[in-house]
Amino acid sequence: MNYEMGWLNYHRGKTEELPNYMGQLYYTEEDTVLLSAIEELKLAAKGMFGCELAVSKDNTVTGDKGIFLKVNKGAGISEEGYRITAKDSFVLIEGSTSRGVLYGTYAFLRRLHKNPDLTGYREEKSPDNPLRMLNHWDNMDGSIERGYSGESFFFQDNEILINSRTKDYARLAASVGINGVVINNVNVKGAATWLITDRYFDKLKSLQDIFKSYGIKLYLSLNFAAPMELGELHTADPLSEEVKAWWQDRIQKVYDSLPDLGGFLIKADSEGRPGPFTYKRTHSEGANMLAAAVRPYGGLIIWRCFVYNCMQDWRDKKTDRARAGYDNFKPLDGSFSENVILQIKNGPMDFQVREPVNSLFGAMEQTNQMLEVQIAQEYTGQQRHVCYLIPAFKEILEYHTGYGEKDTVGEIIGGTASGSRNCGITTVVNTGNDSNWTGHDLAAANFYGFGRLAFDRNLSAEEIGEEWIRATFGGEKKVVDTILEILMMSWPAYEKYTSPLGIGWMVNPNHHFGPNVDGYEYDRWGTYHRADRFGLGVDRSSKGTGYATTYSESNALLYETAESCPEELLLFFHYIEYNYCLKSGKTLIQHIYDTHFEGAKEAEQMAAMWEQLTGYVPEEIHKRVMERLEFQKNHALEWRDVICSYFYRKSGIPDIMKREIY
Amino acid sequence: MNYEMGWLNYHRGKTEELPNYMGQLYYTEEDTVLLSAIEELKLAAKGMFGCELAVSKDNTVTGDKGIFLKVNKGAGISEEGYRITAKDSFVLIEGSTSRGVLYGTYAFLRRLHKNPDLTGYREEKSPDNPLRMLNHWDNMDGSIERGYSGESFFFQDNEILINSRTKDYARLAASVGINGVVINNVNVKGAATWLITDRYFDKLKSLQDIFKSYGIKLYLSLNFAAPMELGELHTADPLSEEVKAWWQDRIQKVYDSLPDLGGFLIKADSEGRPGPFTYKRTHSEGANMLAAAVRPYGGLIIWRCFVYNCMQDWRDKKTDRARAGYDNFKPLDGSFSENVILQIKNGPMDFQVREPVNSLFGAMEQTNQMLEVQIAQEYTGQQRHVCYLIPAFKEILEYHTGYGEKDTVGEIIGGTASGSRNCGITTVVNTGNDSNWTGHDLAAANFYGFGRLAFDRNLSAEEIGEEWIRATFGGEKKVVDTILEILMMSWPAYEKYTSPLGIGWMVNPNHHFGPNVDGYEYDRWGTYHRADRFGLGVDRSSKGTGYATTYSESNALLYETAESCPEELLLFFHYIEYNYCLKSGKTLIQHIYDTHFEGAKEAEQMAAMWEQLTGYVPEEIHKRVMERLEFQKNHALEWRDVICSYFYRKSGIPDIMKREIY
C-alpha cells in the first residue's frame, strides 16, 4: 500500500540541531492512547532530527531533561484539554486524560515545525467543541458519494477493510483533534443496513479499538427502516411497541459487541430515505425512540435536519426549499431527548460557495445543535479546484444569530451558550484511497483546517494554513508565503468566477460540476435563480417566500430589504434588476462581469504562483498540483465565459470594459 | 422467450369465411427463401382463417384453385420485384427470383388484411431502392446505443445470440422488404473489432444463413483501426502496403467463412473513431483501400459522412457543424470506387425533429449515395413519445435537390438519377429484446413504415399506417381511424411542443432527452441556438456561416433570406428577432407560445383518443400504450412550460393569449 502522510510526514529540517529536550521520553501509564502519543513522538523525533527517543515509564519525573507525557487528573485541566510547559531541556505535556496528553503531543509537534527553540513556551487549551467529527459518505461497495479522492479505504465489495491505512487515518484525524468518525454514508442502503448485525461486528470491533487508541469514537449511519429491511418487522413506526422493542434489542446487541460506539447518525425523510413521516410521526418521535434505545450505553443519536421536498415543481414559486429545515424542525424545539443532537448544515441549501447561515442555529434554544459543513467540495470545485474553505467556516462560526448574549454559531454549537456537552461540529470529509488521501494535495489543508478550527475556533485561517504548510512542506519562507497566498485567495476566487452573490447552483444535475446556469432552473430540486431579461434572484423577504423572517428579529430586518442585506447574499434574498446600483457604485450586471473576469484572473495567478515553487516542493507533488491548477485555470475561464455570456444574452447590457463576451 | 409478433400476429378476423383460394399451396422449387414464403403463408392461413394449407411442389400448375408461388425467370420481372395475379379461386405470385416471390407473398398477405376478396386484384412492384437496410447500434455486451426497447437480441456478454428471435426478426424485416442488416454498432470497440476474426465466424455463418433464407444480407460495422487493435500492425494507414495486404488477407478470410456477406459499414474520423485523417489521408483513400479488398467478393463499403469537429468551442461562431459533411466530402466527388457508397444522414445535424435535407444529396453526382434516417427516435421522444416519422421521411424523399432533372432525394438514392445499383436507404433501427420489440407498441409503425417506404416511396404515410394497423390490430373502423389519426398527428405535435422552427436540440447532453433549452448551448458539439434577449437562431446565410450556399443554386437562393426560407426551417438558417412577423401574421415569440400550447394539447388529445380504444385492442397492449401516452402528455406539458418560460424570461414579451407562463 503506497501512500503519503501529508502533514505527518515529519521531514528533516535543513539545519536543525538536536534540541536539548530530545532524547528521553517519560510517560506515566500503560494506556493505548498514551502509547499512540509515544509512537508519534518517536516517529517525529526520528524524522525531524534523526533521533531515536529512549522511552521509559516513570511517574515521578520532576524535570531535568527530556519530554514527559503525564496523565494528571488533579491538574485542573478539562477532559480533553492539555497543558504544555517547557524549559530549556525539559517539556511537560499534561492532560487529565490520556486523550488530552495525545492532543498536547500533537500541539507540541506543531510547535516544533514552527520553532524547535521552546524558550518561554507554554500552551494550554481545551477544545471549543465537545464533538469534533468527520462524516464519511463511503458506501460498502467501495464507492464514495461525492468522493473525489479515489475509493473508500473503509469498505470494499461489502466488506470492511482493516489495514495500515486504518491506523494512519486515525493518526491524521487525531493529530487535528477529531474525536468522532461516522464511517458509512448517511444514505444507508444494501449491505450498510447490516452494519448493526453480527455480520460485521468483528471487523467493527477492530476498527473501534484502533480509533479508540487515538481518542476517536466510532459512529455508524443508521437506516431508519432497518427493522423492515433486515426482514424482521413489517413496520418501522417509531411509536410501535414492537419497533421500540426491536431497536432496544438490536442496539443492545450492537453495544454488547461495540461498547465504545459513540452512537448513530440518521438521515430520515430526506431525498428518498425512510423516516417517521411515513408513519405520520414527528422527527422528535423518531429520534427519541432511538435515543431511548442507546441511552443505557451513553450513546448519541445525531439527527440530520436536511429535510425538504425534493419533488418540487419549478413552476411553484411559493415553496422555498430554504425554509424547509426551519419549518420542519423549529416547531419541535424542546421535544427532543437530551441525547439527541440535530445536525444542521451551515446554510439552508446545500454547501454552496456562499449561503446565509442556517436560520435554525440559535432558534431552537431547547435543542442540542451540531454544525455540518462539507470539505468534500461537492459544489466548490470537487478537489479539482483549490478552494480553502477555512475562511468560510470562520465566517459561519462568528455569525451572530441574534439569540441571547452568547449568540454566535461557534458559541451555540460549542455549548458555551447552553452548557450542553452534546453539541459540536462535523464535516463531510474529503478523503479516499488516493495516495495523498485527498486527490488534490492542497485539499488536505481543508481536512487539517477543519479539525484545527473545530478544536480552537479562535485560530485564524492564516494561522491554520501556515501550520499545515510548515508541517507538510517545511518552513521555507517562499514556500510558506506562496502556498498561504494561494490558499487564502482560493475561496474568494472560486466565489467570483462561479455563481454570483449567494444565488448558488448553476451546475449540472447529478454530478454537480459546472458551469451550467440553467442546470437546475427547470428541475425539481427547489434550486432556482429565476433569471429573466430584467434581473435575477429569489425574493425571500416577507413579500416573497418569507425565509428571511425565520431569522431572529435583528437578522430578519437585515435580510428583509435589498439595501440592508449583506451584499454577498443579495441574490439569495432578493430579486435584483441588472441595472441596480451596488454599494461599489457598479451595476449588478457590471459586478457580475467584473467579478468573473477577476476570479478567472486569480485562478491564472494561482497556477503561476505554484509554478514558481518548482524545486521547492517534492517534484511529484508539484506536478500533481500543477496539473490541477492548470485545469482550474481553464475551467475558471469556462465559468467566466458561460456566466458572462448567459447574462449578457439575457440582459443585453454590454460590459463597460468592452471585454469579449459571447 | 416470450414476445409478440406485431404485424405478423395473423389474428383471426371476426367474420372471415375461408376464401376459395385458401387450401392448396403450390411452389416451383426447393429454395430456402421460397420455403420461408411457404411457412409464412401456412402461418397466416392458420391464424387468419384456421386453415391448414396443403403444400405441394408442382412446376406445371396452370390455374384452378389455390396459391402458386412461382419463380419465373422469363416473366420480365426485376430481380426483387413481384407480380400477383388473382382470379376467384387462384392466386399466382411470381418473381424472377425467390426473393421477389417472398416479397410478393408478404404483399398478398397485406392485401388479405385489407380485403380477402381478390376480385380483380393484380399487383406488380419492383423496389424503388436497391439497398433497403437496417443499422443496429447494438453493442456486444448486449447494450444498445440509443436503444429504448431493452437489450440487444444479437449480442450478450460478447457472444452472438442465435435463437427463435433471430428468425422472427428476419421475418419482420423481410415482410417489409428489408434486404440488408448491419448487426453491430457503428462505434466498433472491444469485442466487436473481433467480429472479422474466426472467434465469431461460426455464429455469424448461422446468422448469415438465417438472414439469407429471408433475402437479407448480413453486413458488419468495421473498426478502421482493426489492423492495430487486433494487435498485428503498428499503423492503419490506408496507403501503407502492409495495411492493404492485411486487409486483403483479413477480408478473404471473412468471405471464406461468410460468402454471402453484403459488406461493411464504417464510421471513420467521427466522434473519436479512428480514420484516414489520422494518417493525413482522404476519406476516399480510406474507403477505396477497403473497397479494393472486398471487390473480389462483390462486397460493398458503406462509408458514413457523419464527420465533424466534436470539440468545437461554443464561443466560436464561425465554425458550423452543419457545413462539415459538405466541406469534408464534396471535394472528393468522383474519387470513390464504384463499390463504395456514402451513407448520408437526412439532415446536416443529427436526426432532429426538423432539419433541412443534407446539402450533400445530389451534390456529388459522381458518387454513390445512401440516405440514413433514424427510427430509434433518439431526438424524437425515445419511443416513450409516439412520433410516427414516415411523413417526415416522405418529405425528405420528395425534396428537390435542384441537381438535374430527376433531382428528388428519392430519385437520387434509388438510383433513378444515376442508374447505379449501389445506393438506397437505411435506418438506425428501433428494436430490442422487449416483448413487443420496440418498447412503445406504436413505434413498430416506424419499423414497418420505414421498410415499406424504402420499397415503395410513392406510398403515402396514411396508406402505410393503415396497412400496419390492419395487420397489427385488425380492420375495425374505429381502431383503424383512431390509431391512424394518432399516428398522423404525432410528428407535427412533437415538433410543436419541442424546439421551434428547425433550431433543434434543447435536450440534455449524453442521454438526449429533453427539455433543456441550454443543454448544448455552452458545449463542444456545435449545436447552438444562440438565443439572447432579442431573438434566436443561427445565421447560416452567406452573411453567416454560409451553409445555405452549399445547396444547389435554386435552393441556396431559397434559404438565403428569411423571407424566402421555408418557415419551418427559419431558425435553422436565420437569426430572427422575437417580434419578427411570420407569414401567419403572428410574431415569432407568439408563434413559439402558440405552437407549444397546441402541441401539448395534441399530446393530451392523443392520450384521450387511445383511451377510447379500451376493449378494442388487446388489454395488455392497451395498457402499455396508455401508460406511455400519459407520460407523453405530462412530458409535453413540461416541454411547453420550459420552452415558453425560457423565451418569456429572455424576451420579456407576454403571451397575447394571457396563458400562464412561468
Side-chain angles (χ1 to χ4, degrees):
Chain A
M1 205 167 299
N2 195 12
Y3 57 88
E4 302 148 42
M5 281 306 292
W7 62 91
L8 296 185
N9 68 50
Y10 301 123
H11 46 82
R12 190 79 180 259
K14 276 182 186 160
T15 57
E16 308 296 4
E17 285 174 34
L18 192 65
N20 287 334
Y21 49 81
M22 273 292 162
Q24 182 66 46
L25 178 64
Y26 306 99
Y27 67 102
T28 53
E29 55 206 82
E30 301 290 347
D31 166 294
T32 59
V33 180
L34 216 56
L35 293 177
S36 296
I38 292 165
E39 191 180 332
E40 200 70 37
L41 277 169
K42 289 180 71 175
L43 266 173
K46 184 82 194 299
M48 295 170 77
F49 303 101
C51 164
E52 298 282 357
L53 285 184
V55 182
S56 54
K57 185 174 172 188
D58 184 345
N59 221 337
T60 62
V61 183
T62 50
D64 175 17
K65 194 167 176 187
I67 303 168
F68 183 22
L69 301 181
K70 184 174 186 183
V71 177
N72 183 357
K73 292 194 172 55
I77 303 172
S78 74
E79 193 191 349
E80 291 184 304
Y82 60 85
R83 181 191 298 148
I84 311 172
T85 32
K87 288 182 284 192
D88 171 48
S89 58
F90 183 73
V91 183
L92 173 65
I93 303 176
E94 288 175 290
S96 70
T97 64
S98 56
R99 283 173 288 143
V101 174
L102 181 68
Y103 295 140
T105 301
Y106 283 114
F108 166 66
L109 292 172
R110 278 193 290 274
R111 168 61 200 247
L112 287 194
H113 285 300
K114 203 169 173 184
N115 186 0
D117 177 0
L118 303 183
T119 312
Y121 171 53
R122 190 176 188 287
E123 184 178 342
E124 183 163 0
K125 178 67 195 163
S126 286
D128 290 336
N129 286 286
L131 294 169
R132 304 173 303 280
M133 296 181 61
L134 302 177
N135 285 188
H136 285 266
W137 286 359
D138 291 23
N139 299 313
M140 293 203 63
D141 63 2
S143 66
I144 303 179
E145 186 166 331
R146 313 304 174 191
Y148 312 103
S149 313
E151 299 280 294
S152 173
F153 48 75
F154 285 132
F155 306 113
Q156 190 176 51
D157 299 335
N158 293 330
E159 289 299 334
I160 293 172
L161 298 176
I162 309 269
N163 54 40
S164 72
R165 268 193 117 125
T166 318
K167 179 178 161 183
D168 281 330
Y169 164 80
R171 288 174 57 212
L172 289 167
S175 75
V176 292
I178 297 301
N179 67 358
V181 172
V182 187
I183 57 168
N184 64 310
N185 189 355
V186 288
N187 293 313
V188 185
K189 299 173 189 173
T193 303
W194 294 80
L195 282 170
I196 53 171
T197 70
D198 54 14
R199 186 190 290 180
Y200 294 111
F201 285 159
D202 287 350
K203 285 281 181 71
L204 285 174
K205 176 72 164 60
S206 303
L207 204 51
Q208 172 204 266
D209 291 345
I210 293 168
F211 282 180
K212 191 183 178 188
S213 67
Y214 283 89
I216 298 168
K217 285 206 172 198
L218 172 69
Y219 290 76
L220 296 173
S221 292
L222 210 61
N223 183 340
F224 194 79
M228 298 163 73
E229 290 191 27
L230 295 181
E232 300 183 16
L233 299 184
H234 292 289
T235 176
D237 180 353
L239 297 196
S240 145
E241 290 302 326
E242 60 171 354
V243 171
K244 288 184 201 176
W246 187 91
W247 277 112
Q248 279 164 18
D249 175 62
R250 177 61 22 219
I251 296 287
Q252 183 190 329
K253 291 191 172 107
V254 172
Y255 273 95
D256 281 350
S257 299
L258 306 169
D260 291 303
L261 191 76
F264 300 98
L265 174 65
I266 298 106
K267 175 178 180 178
D269 292 316
S270 172
E271 297 179 336
R273 297 283 76 210
F277 282 171
T278 314
Y279 307 98
K280 300 194 171 31
R281 308 302 183 191
T282 67
H283 278 263
S284 47
E285 286 168 332
N288 293 347
M289 178 274 292
L290 292 170
V294 300
R295 187 175 300 119
Y297 318 101
L300 295 174
I301 294 300
I302 305 176
W303 194 267
R304 287 177 100 233
C305 289
F306 191 52
V307 177
Y308 69 97
N309 173 15
C310 64
M311 296 295 280
Q312 186 176 340
D313 191 318
W314 58 270
R315 286 163 281 223
D316 167 10
K317 293 185 181 172
K318 288 178 188 144
T319 302
D320 182 4
R321 169 168 165 178
R323 287 196 64 121
Y326 188 92
D327 290 345
N328 277 308
F329 285 92
K330 169 68 181 171
L332 302 177
D333 189 26
S335 68
F336 289 96
S337 300
E338 179 276 340
N339 61 332
V340 173
I341 306 173
L342 294 191
Q343 182 167 309
I344 305 168
K345 290 194 181 188
N346 61 277
M349 299 304 270
D350 193 17
F351 305 133
Q352 302 304 295
V353 67
R354 173 74 70 177
E355 290 187 46
V357 166
N358 199 314
S359 62
L360 276 171
F361 287 111
M364 297 184 71
E365 298 175 63
Q366 311 300 315
T367 305
N368 297 322
Q369 300 198 333
M370 183 153 173
L371 168 65
E372 176 180 336
V373 294
Q374 190 204 48
I375 58 174
Q377 293 183 244
E378 177 178 356
Y379 295 96
T380 48
Q382 300 189 353
Q383 296 161 243
R384 302 174 77 184
H385 292 228
V386 55
C387 189
Y388 180 55
L389 290 165
I390 307 308
F393 299 163
K394 286 287 290 181
E395 287 189 13
I396 293 160
L397 292 172
E398 290 166 4
Y399 175 81
H400 286 279
T401 63
Y403 293 103
E405 267 184 41
K406 296 184 172 172
D407 75 332
T408 65
V409 171
E411 288 163 323
I412 291 162
I413 61 164
T416 319
S418 62
S420 171
R421 299 292 300 157
N422 291 340
C423 51
I425 181 169
T426 192
T427 188
V428 182
V429 72
N430 60 354
T431 50
N433 68 3
D434 276 359
S435 67
N436 61 359
W437 300 83
T438 54
H440 201 313
D441 288 85
L442 300 186
N446 282 327
F447 185 108
Y448 182 95
F450 168 79
R452 292 291 292 131
L453 193 63
F455 205 91
D456 184 353
R457 65 170 173 263
N458 291 315
L459 286 170
S460 71
E462 289 88 345
E463 285 172 306
I464 293 171
E466 185 174 335
E467 279 183 7
W468 173 76
I469 298 164
R470 286 182 181 279
T472 308
F473 296 109
E476 194 152 354
K477 184 170 162 47
K478 176 169 170 144
V479 173
V480 174
D481 290 354
T482 305
I483 300 181
L484 188 59
E485 194 177 347
I486 291 174
L487 292 180
M488 291 306 294
M489 70 197 284
S490 63
W491 173 54
Y494 193 86
E495 183 176 18
K496 283 181 200 171
Y497 62 71
T498 59
S499 73
L501 299 180
I503 193 69
W505 310 95
M506 303 191 173
V507 294
N508 287 291
N510 304 322
H511 63 66
H512 295 170
F513 210 55
N516 183 345
V517 182
D518 277 359
Y520 273 106
E521 190 58 15
Y522 301 96
D523 217 326
R524 64 183 171 85
W525 296 90
T527 52
Y528 314 111
H529 55 64
R530 307 292 190 198
D532 59 21
R533 74 186 330 235
F534 307 109
L536 81 154
V538 180
D539 183 357
R540 291 187 163 105
S541 75
S542 62
K543 295 175 204 70
T545 73
Y547 173 66
T549 69
T550 67
Y551 285 86
S552 65
E553 204 179 325
S554 54
N555 285 338
L557 271 174
L558 203 65
Y559 298 137
E560 175 66 14
T561 71
E563 291 66 37
S564 57
C565 183
E567 220 157 53
E568 69 274 14
L569 292 170
L570 190 58
L571 299 176
F572 187 90
F573 282 109
H574 298 281
Y575 173 88
I576 301 292
E577 298 201 350
Y578 295 120
N579 53 14
Y580 177 91
C581 187
L582 299 178
K583 296 187 178 72
S584 61
K586 287 180 186 175
T587 61
L588 170 63
I589 189 74
Q590 192 59 40
H591 173 87
I592 291 175
Y593 296 150
D594 288 352
T595 48
H596 282 76
F597 275 88
E598 278 167 35
K601 186 81 196 159
E602 286 163 14
E604 191 184 335
Q605 286 165 355
M606 290 192 281
M609 288 159 68
W610 184 261
E611 192 152 33
Q612 295 299 314
L613 293 182
T614 310
Y616 286 80
V617 299
E619 191 179 338
E620 191 181 332
I621 297 178
H622 189 271
K623 187 160 163 282
R624 283 195 308 234
V625 173
M626 197 71 243
E627 280 170 6
R628 295 201 185 219
L629 287 171
E630 284 293 331
F631 172 84
Q632 179 174 5
K633 179 176 89 176
N634 292 323
H635 198 227
L637 280 181
E638 182 72 11
W639 267 100
R640 178 194 78 182
D641 287 343
V642 169
I643 300 278
C644 290
S645 299
Y646 180 96
F647 286 105
Y648 172 63
R649 292 186 192 182
K650 224 153 196 163
S651 70
I653 303 172
D655 172 29
I656 57 174
M657 303 291 284
K658 299 190 193 308
R659 291 164 292 208
E660 188 157 19
I661 293 175
Y662 302 88
Chain B
M1 204 167 298
N2 195 11
Y3 56 89
E4 302 147 43
M5 282 306 292
W7 63 91
L8 297 184
N9 69 50
Y10 301 124
H11 46 82
R12 191 77 181 257
K14 276 183 184 160
T15 56
E16 308 298 0
E17 283 175 35
L18 192 64
N20 286 335
Y21 48 82
M22 274 292 164
Q24 182 66 46
L25 178 63
Y26 306 99
Y27 67 101
T28 52
E29 54 207 82
E30 301 289 347
D31 165 294
T32 59
V33 180
L34 216 57
L35 293 177
S36 296
I38 292 165
E39 192 181 331
E40 199 70 37
L41 277 168
K42 289 179 72 175
L43 267 172
K46 185 82 196 296
M48 295 169 78
F49 303 101
C51 165
E52 299 280 359
L53 285 185
V55 181
S56 53
K57 184 174 170 189
D58 184 345
N59 220 337
T60 62
V61 184
T62 50
D64 177 16
K65 195 166 176 190
I67 303 167
F68 183 22
L69 303 181
K70 185 175 186 182
V71 178
N72 183 357
K73 292 193 172 57
I77 303 171
S78 74
E79 193 191 349
E80 292 184 304
Y82 60 84
R83 181 191 297 148
I84 309 172
T85 32
K87 287 182 286 193
D88 172 49
S89 58
F90 183 72
V91 182
L92 173 64
I93 303 177
E94 286 174 290
S96 70
T97 64
S98 56
R99 283 173 287 143
V101 174
L102 180 69
Y103 295 139
T105 300
Y106 283 114
F108 166 67
L109 291 172
R110 279 192 290 275
R111 168 61 200 251
L112 286 192
H113 285 299
K114 203 168 174 186
N115 186 0
D117 177 359
L118 303 184
T119 311
Y121 172 54
R122 191 176 187 287
E123 185 178 341
E124 183 163 358
K125 178 67 196 163
S126 287
D128 290 336
N129 286 286
L131 294 168
R132 305 174 301 281
M133 296 181 60
L134 303 176
N135 285 188
H136 285 266
W137 286 359
D138 292 25
N139 298 314
M140 292 202 63
D141 63 2
S143 66
I144 303 179
E145 185 166 332
R146 312 306 174 189
Y148 313 103
S149 313
E151 299 280 295
S152 173
F153 47 76
F154 285 131
F155 306 113
Q156 191 178 49
D157 300 334
N158 293 331
E159 289 299 335
I160 293 171
L161 298 175
I162 309 269
N163 55 40
S164 73
R165 268 193 118 125
T166 319
K167 180 176 158 185
D168 282 330
Y169 164 79
R171 289 175 56 212
L172 290 166
S175 76
V176 292
I178 296 301
N179 67 358
V181 172
V182 187
I183 56 168
N184 65 310
N185 188 356
V186 288
N187 293 313
V188 185
K189 297 172 189 172
T193 304
W194 294 81
L195 282 170
I196 55 171
T197 70
D198 55 13
R199 186 190 290 179
Y200 293 111
F201 284 159
D202 286 351
K203 285 280 181 71
L204 285 174
K205 176 72 166 62
S206 303
L207 204 52
Q208 171 203 266
D209 291 346
I210 292 167
F211 282 180
K212 190 183 178 187
S213 68
Y214 284 88
I216 298 168
K217 286 206 171 198
L218 172 69
Y219 290 75
L220 296 173
S221 291
L222 209 61
N223 183 341
F224 193 80
M228 298 164 74
E229 290 194 24
L230 295 181
E232 300 182 15
L233 299 184
H234 293 288
T235 176
D237 180 353
L239 297 197
S240 145
E241 290 304 324
E242 62 171 352
V243 171
K244 287 185 201 174
W246 187 91
W247 277 113
Q248 278 164 20
D249 174 63
R250 178 58 26 216
I251 297 286
Q252 183 190 331
K253 291 191 171 107
V254 172
Y255 273 95
D256 281 351
S257 298
L258 306 169
D260 291 303
L261 190 76
F264 300 98
L265 175 64
I266 298 106
K267 175 178 180 178
D269 292 317
S270 172
E271 297 179 335
R273 296 284 77 209
F277 282 173
T278 314
Y279 307 97
K280 300 197 175 19
R281 309 302 183 193
T282 67
H283 278 264
S284 47
E285 286 168 334
N288 293 348
M289 179 274 292
L290 293 169
V294 300
R295 187 175 301 119
Y297 317 101
L300 295 174
I301 294 299
I302 305 176
W303 193 267
R304 288 176 98 233
C305 290
F306 191 53
V307 176
Y308 68 98
N309 173 16
C310 65
M311 296 296 280
Q312 185 175 342
D313 192 317
W314 58 269
R315 287 163 280 222
D316 167 10
K317 292 185 181 171
K318 287 175 190 148
T319 303
D320 182 3
R321 168 168 166 178
R323 288 196 63 123
Y326 187 91
D327 289 345
N328 277 307
F329 285 92
K330 168 68 181 171
L332 302 176
D333 189 26
S335 68
F336 289 97
S337 300
E338 178 276 339
N339 62 331
V340 173
I341 306 173
L342 294 191
Q343 181 167 309
I344 305 168
K345 290 194 181 187
N346 61 276
M349 299 303 270
D350 193 16
F351 304 135
Q352 303 303 295
V353 67
R354 173 74 68 177
E355 289 186 47
V357 166
N358 199 313
S359 61
L360 276 171
F361 285 111
M364 298 184 72
E365 298 176 61
Q366 310 299 316
T367 305
N368 297 320
Q369 301 198 334
M370 186 153 170
L371 169 65
E372 177 180 335
V373 295
Q374 191 204 49
I375 58 175
Q377 293 182 245
E378 177 178 357
Y379 295 95
T380 49
Q382 300 191 352
Q383 295 160 241
R384 302 174 76 184
H385 292 228
V386 56
C387 188
Y388 180 55
L389 290 166
I390 307 308
F393 300 162
K394 287 286 291 181
E395 288 190 13
I396 294 159
L397 292 172
E398 289 167 5
Y399 175 80
H400 287 279
T401 63
Y403 294 103
E405 270 187 37
K406 296 185 171 174
D407 75 332
T408 65
V409 170
E411 288 164 321
I412 290 162
I413 63 162
T416 319
S418 61
S420 171
R421 299 293 299 159
N422 291 341
C423 51
I425 181 169
T426 193
T427 188
V428 182
V429 72
N430 60 355
T431 51
N433 68 3
D434 277 358
S435 67
N436 62 358
W437 300 82
T438 54
H440 201 313
D441 289 85
L442 299 186
N446 282 327
F447 185 108
Y448 183 93
F450 168 78
R452 293 289 293 130
L453 193 62
F455 205 90
D456 184 352
R457 64 172 173 261
N458 290 316
L459 286 169
S460 71
E462 290 88 343
E463 286 172 304
I464 293 171
E466 186 176 333
E467 278 182 7
W468 174 76
I469 299 163
R470 286 181 182 279
T472 309
F473 297 109
E476 195 152 352
K477 184 170 162 44
K478 175 169 172 147
V479 173
V480 174
D481 289 352
T482 305
I483 300 180
L484 188 58
E485 195 177 345
I486 290 173
L487 291 181
M488 291 306 296
M489 69 196 287
S490 62
W491 174 55
Y494 193 86
E495 183 175 17
K496 284 181 201 172
Y497 61 71
T498 58
S499 73
L501 299 180
I503 194 68
W505 310 95
M506 304 192 173
V507 294
N508 287 290
N510 303 323
H511 63 66
H512 295 170
F513 210 56
N516 183 344
V517 182
D518 277 358
Y520 274 104
E521 191 59 14
Y522 301 96
D523 217 325
R524 63 184 172 84
W525 296 91
T527 52
Y528 314 112
H529 55 64
R530 307 292 190 197
D532 59 21
R533 76 189 326 239
F534 306 109
L536 81 154
V538 180
D539 183 357
R540 291 187 164 104
S541 74
S542 62
K543 295 175 204 72
T545 72
Y547 173 65
T549 69
T550 67
Y551 285 86
S552 65
E553 204 179 324
S554 55
N555 285 337
L557 271 174
L558 204 64
Y559 298 137
E560 175 65 14
T561 71
E563 292 65 37
S564 57
C565 182
E567 220 157 52
E568 69 274 14
L569 292 170
L570 189 59
L571 299 176
F572 187 90
F573 283 107
H574 298 280
Y575 174 87
I576 302 292
E577 299 202 346
Y578 295 121
N579 55 13
Y580 176 90
C581 186
L582 298 177
K583 296 187 178 73
S584 61
K586 289 180 185 175
T587 60
L588 170 62
I589 188 73
Q590 192 59 40
H591 173 87
I592 292 174
Y593 296 151
D594 288 352
T595 48
H596 282 77
F597 276 88
E598 278 167 35
K601 186 80 196 163
E602 286 163 13
E604 191 184 335
Q605 287 164 354
M606 289 192 281
M609 286 159 68
W610 183 262
E611 191 153 33
Q612 295 298 314
L613 293 182
T614 311
Y616 286 80
V617 298
E619 192 179 338
E620 192 181 333
I621 296 178
H622 189 270
K623 187 161 163 280
R624 283 196 305 236
V625 174
M626 197 70 243
E627 280 169 6
R628 296 202 183 217
L629 287 171
E630 285 291 333
F631 171 84
Q632 179 174 5
K633 179 175 90 177
N634 292 323
H635 198 227
L637 280 180
E638 182 73 10
W639 267 101
R640 178 194 78 184
D641 288 343
V642 169
I643 300 278
C644 289
S645 298
Y646 180 96
F647 286 104
Y648 172 63
R649 291 185 192 183
K650 224 153 197 165
S651 70
I653 303 171
D655 172 28
I656 57 175
M657 303 291 285
K658 300 188 192 307
R659 290 164 293 208
E660 188 157 21
I661 294 176
Y662 303 88

